[in-house]
Amino acid sequence: MRFTSEIDLRDHFWMMYSRSNKNIIAYQFEAKARTGATDLVTIEKVKNKDRSGFHIEICSFEFKLDDLQKVFAQAYANSAFSHKSFVVVPANKRRAIEDNYTDYYKKYPSIGCIAVDHPEDNGGRYKMFHYAHARLDCELQLNQEILKLCCKVL
């Protein structure tokens, strides 16, 4: 089976992601963080690597069924204000991304990729097949929409 709309892909991914990720402290769909809006932004509380405490990470997600060039351009635009930016596609697009975008990962390490199975296939699971490396706080641009989202929960 295949997803018939980006909203179906987004909604199914969100159902699975929000159930499995207990670090999410705030989120917003269609966040006006940039021109054209970002499909999903999450504010996540993440343990430090040395286990001494936690830090906050801003993650953005763009969902696309087909236009891979556009989704990577959108993920790049989101990286201005996000620690991590993710491209989320149906599972059948994974091979196309792996075959055509490996150089992109080297150039933009804060962009990751997630493939989502249709609910009728494999239980509708998602798989992060390229991990994003978090950008430093000092590399992010301040953004009113993101600050407002953070202030709702802090």
Side-chain angles (χ1 to χ4, degrees):
M1 297 286 291
R2 291 189 181 206
F3 290 99
T4 58
S5 72
E6 288 174 14
I7 292 173
D8 290 341
L9 173 64
R10 181 198 74 186
D11 290 350
H12 179 72
F13 169 76
W14 178 246
M15 179 183 68
M16 301 299 283
Y17 185 73
S18 62
R19 282 183 188 170
S20 64
N21 188 341
K22 303 304 179 201
N23 298 331
I24 301 166
I25 57 177
Y27 68 93
Q28 183 175 358
F29 293 106
E30 297 301 323
K32 303 291 185 209
R34 65 168 174 77
T35 303
T38 301
D39 290 341
L40 172 63
V41 174
T42 62
I43 309 300
E44 302 185 18
K45 184 177 179 178
V46 180
K47 286 186 180 180
N48 293 335
K49 289 180 182 176
D50 65 3
R51 305 274 184 205
S52 65
F54 70 92
H55 62 279
I56 299 297
E57 285 186 359
I58 301 164
C59 299
S60 59
F61 300 83
E62 287 294 336
F63 301 87
K64 279 288 183 274
L65 298 181
D66 293 308
D67 194 344
L68 297 179
Q69 281 189 312
K70 183 176 181 179
V71 76
F72 274 94
Q74 290 171 315
Y76 173 75
N78 294 342
S79 67
F81 58 83
S82 301
H83 291 93
K84 296 177 182 176
S85 184
F86 293 97
V87 167
V88 184
V89 296
N92 67 312
K93 296 296 180 184
R94 178 178 176 171
R95 174 72 70 201
I97 289 173
E98 290 175 329
D99 290 347
N100 298 305
Y101 288 90
T102 54
D103 289 340
Y104 201 89
Y105 298 139
K106 293 174 189 168
K107 191 171 181 179
Y108 306 108
S110 66
I111 297 176
C113 289
I114 300 169
V116 182
D117 287 319
H118 189 275
E120 297 291 322
D121 300 329
N122 197 23
R125 295 184 181 135
Y126 69 89
K127 170 84 172 138
M128 190 175 300
F129 64 94
H130 181 74
Y131 290 86
H133 299 279
R135 296 181 69 201
L136 299 174
D137 293 338
C138 63
E139 296 175 328
L140 303 185
Q141 295 176 7
L142 283 178
N143 184 304
Q144 278 295 310
E145 288 302 311
I146 301 303
L147 290 172
K148 289 175 188 175
L149 181 58
C150 290
C151 289
K152 289 180 185 177
V153 297
L154 300 178

